Amino acid sequence: MNDSASRLREIHPSAVEGAFALFLRVVAAYCLLFGILYWIRLIGLYDGALWRFDLMPVHWQIAAVILSVFFPFAAIGLWMLSSWGPVIWFICAATEVVMYAGFPDLFGSRPVIVAAHIVVALIYAGFRIVLHLQRRQNAQ
């Protein structure tokens, strides 16, 4: 009986698991958007100040290249619900938090982006705690 109950849970995920999957896919969409915005910055489609790779200072060149690759990579991992997706997202988020909160004189101050990353991390942690408690309760 216990074996069939566990199979049923695998076939029909709980509401929390479904909400977590939806949350990860929403985060994947915004990671893809951030990646596209960094690519726009790199190839110079936008006519803003320092919005072309050859006109950027070296610190912006390094950050833009890394994040233009990592954000779409994180989006793929999050969309596929892979275990490495949140890890890559965390690297991107930590990089931007350090850029905008740690070095505002170099990268500018973007408190909305910093706050968004912190909120996403807190929601992610909340989901993981609830899922852990739910699995622990189901195991008993």
Side-chain angles (χ1 to χ4, degrees):
M1 181 83 169
N2 191 14
D3 189 39
S4 64
S6 67
R7 279 193 210 139
L8 186 61
R9 277 194 302 273
E10 288 176 10
I11 295 171
H12 300 291
S14 70
V16 175
E17 290 171 331
F20 184 57
L22 178 65
F23 167 73
L24 289 178
R25 291 198 168 141
V26 168
V27 174
Y30 103 79
C31 282
L32 186 59
L33 174 69
F34 275 28
I36 290 170
L37 292 175
Y38 276 105
W39 275 105
I40 287 171
R41 174 175 282 208
L42 286 177
I43 60 177
L45 288 178
Y46 182 77
D47 279 340
L50 301 178
W51 273 78
R52 213 172 72 200
F53 186 77
D54 59 335
L55 300 177
M56 290 180 193
V58 173
H59 57 275
W60 258 115
Q61 289 177 345
I62 294 168
V65 167
I66 290 170
L67 292 173
S68 69
V69 173
F70 272 39
F71 266 123
F73 190 59
I76 292 168
L78 290 167
W79 190 267
M80 294 186 331
L81 306 177
S82 298
S83 60
W84 51 267
V87 175
I88 303 300
W89 171 83
F90 179 79
I91 292 170
C92 295
T95 301
E96 282 199 326
V97 167
V98 168
M99 283 169 50
Y100 296 129
F103 299 102
D105 52 326
L106 294 175
F107 297 100
S109 178
R110 295 243 173 116
V112 174
I113 291 177
V114 172
H117 287 312
I118 291 170
V119 167
V120 168
L122 290 174
I123 293 171
Y124 178 82
F127 267 120
R128 294 302 297 180
I129 290 169
V130 169
L131 287 169
H132 173 74
L133 294 175
Q134 188 178 37
R135 288 184 184 132
R136 189 172 161 187
Q137 181 183 16
N138 289 338
Q140 293 176 350

